[in-house]
Structure formats: C-alpha cells, structure tokens
Amino acid sequence: MTFLNFVTIDGENARDFDDAIYVEKKKRGFKLWVAIADVDAYVKKGTALDQEAYLRGTSVYFPNMVIPMFPEKLSNGICSLNPNVERLAMVVEIEFDGNGKIEASSFYPAVIKSKARLTYTKVKKMLVDKDKELINKYQQLFPMLEDAAELSSLIRKKRQDRGSLDFDI
C-alpha cells in the first residue's frame, strides 16, 4: 500500500493521525481505501495497556487538552500515520458503482505511507475556493481529492435520499 497516495485529513489542532484515505475513480465507479493505524500490532490483548485502553474506550478531546486512549508515544508516535513514514495499518477497500452504491469490500493488514497531512481547511480551500497556491503545492494529490469529493457527494446524496438528517454544527 506504500504506492497509493494516502492522505490524512484532520482538524488544524489534531496531533494523532489515525486514519488516512485514498480514492480512485474507475470506469464504472470509485474505489476507496481507508487505512486505520494498526494499534493492535503494538498493544497486545490482555496487557495492562490493553485493559486501560478498554476502560477509556476512546480518546477524549477538550478545547484545551486531550486525554488519550493510549500513551502519547503510541498515539502520536508509532501509531500515527505521519507523512512520509511507513506505518502498519488495517485497510478497508471499498468498491462503489457510479451512483455511490457499495459493490464489494475487503479488509486486510497493510503498510502505508501517507503522502500528506491535510486539514479540512486546506482541502476546502483547494476544492471549494480553488486556491491556486495550495492546488499547486499539492498538485500530485489534487486529482485524488477531487475524486474523493465526487464520491463523498454521491454517498451524501444516497444518505439524504434515505431521509438522513444533516446537522450543520
């Protein structure tokens, strides 16, 4: 998976990058890869670390601090999908038809190398505001981001057609 142009997209203040995406437009639809940092490779079942993480359930985010599920050396270090370093991940590969309907999926362990740490703001500036400077900076990734936006729109439309509520908060 190190050959796919995975990117993380998080808020500006994020410190742990535990998921990354790559989207590819196909003749009859799209293929989406979502990589999640493979913490299981480092935290063995039944250990004190595993038990403490189970009790916490998730990291907790406050405006001025984070209470991490795992120690910072893990969550912000070896288990963080930082750019340009190979990391262990679990990947789901999903095939969509041209209407955004899932046709197939598969899960597997992989080694990925994220190509960039993007933020929601940067992605919006590229896709919505057409910021030429950012598009130029991320020219290798920009076509993939456009494909991701197109797939996202299809999925959102399907969800809305089913009667989903969308809270703008």
Side-chain angles (χ1 to χ4, degrees):
M1 297 284 91
T2 58
F3 59 92
L4 297 178
N5 287 331
F6 277 98
V7 297
T8 61
I9 306 174
D10 293 283
E12 275 72 18
N13 298 324
R15 293 184 310 193
D16 61 335
F17 313 112
D18 55 2
D19 54 72
I21 65 157
Y22 177 74
V23 177
E24 189 174 287
K25 192 168 186 175
K26 300 290 194 177
K27 285 182 182 178
R28 298 183 307 126
F30 295 86
K31 192 177 277 196
L32 164 67
W33 288 262
V34 179
I36 307 292
D38 188 3
V39 177
D40 188 58
Y42 304 98
V43 179
K44 297 303 172 200
K45 188 171 179 69
T47 62
L49 189 56
D50 177 53
Q51 291 171 9
E52 181 64 23
Y54 181 81
L55 289 174
R56 292 181 183 201
T58 185
S59 298
V60 180
Y61 297 88
F62 296 103
N64 60 346
M65 67 178 282
V66 175
I67 301 172
M69 186 169 143
F70 292 107
E72 195 169 329
K73 285 188 178 184
L74 275 179
S75 62
N76 295 7
I78 193 99
C79 294
S80 196
L81 304 178
N82 295 314
N84 302 311
V85 291
E86 291 185 346
R87 293 289 193 231
L88 299 176
M90 291 301 296
V91 172
V92 59
E93 184 178 332
I94 308 168
E95 294 181 41
F96 293 87
D97 69 13
N99 296 312
K101 180 180 177 222
I102 295 175
E103 293 186 321
S105 63
S106 56
F107 296 82
Y108 46 84
V111 175
I112 73 152
K113 184 191 284 188
S114 173
K115 301 300 186 231
R117 180 229 189 261
L118 299 177
T119 64
Y120 301 122
T121 302
K122 284 180 183 175
V123 172
K124 180 207 172 271
K125 284 182 179 179
M126 284 187 275
L127 295 174
V128 177
D129 303 337
K130 303 298 181 192
D131 183 309
K132 293 188 186 316
E133 186 177 319
L134 275 175
I135 291 169
N136 189 49
K137 180 177 180 179
Y138 296 105
Q139 63 186 329
Q140 297 294 326
L141 303 172
F142 183 68
M144 187 277 295
L145 294 172
E146 289 181 308
D147 292 344
E150 187 177 345
L151 175 59
S152 176
S153 291
L154 289 172
I155 294 169
R156 187 178 305 104
K157 182 178 179 343
K158 284 187 70 59
R159 200 172 62 232
Q160 289 170 339
D161 289 348
R162 289 192 312 264
S164 171
L165 297 176
D166 192 8
F167 295 102
D168 189 10
I169 55 174

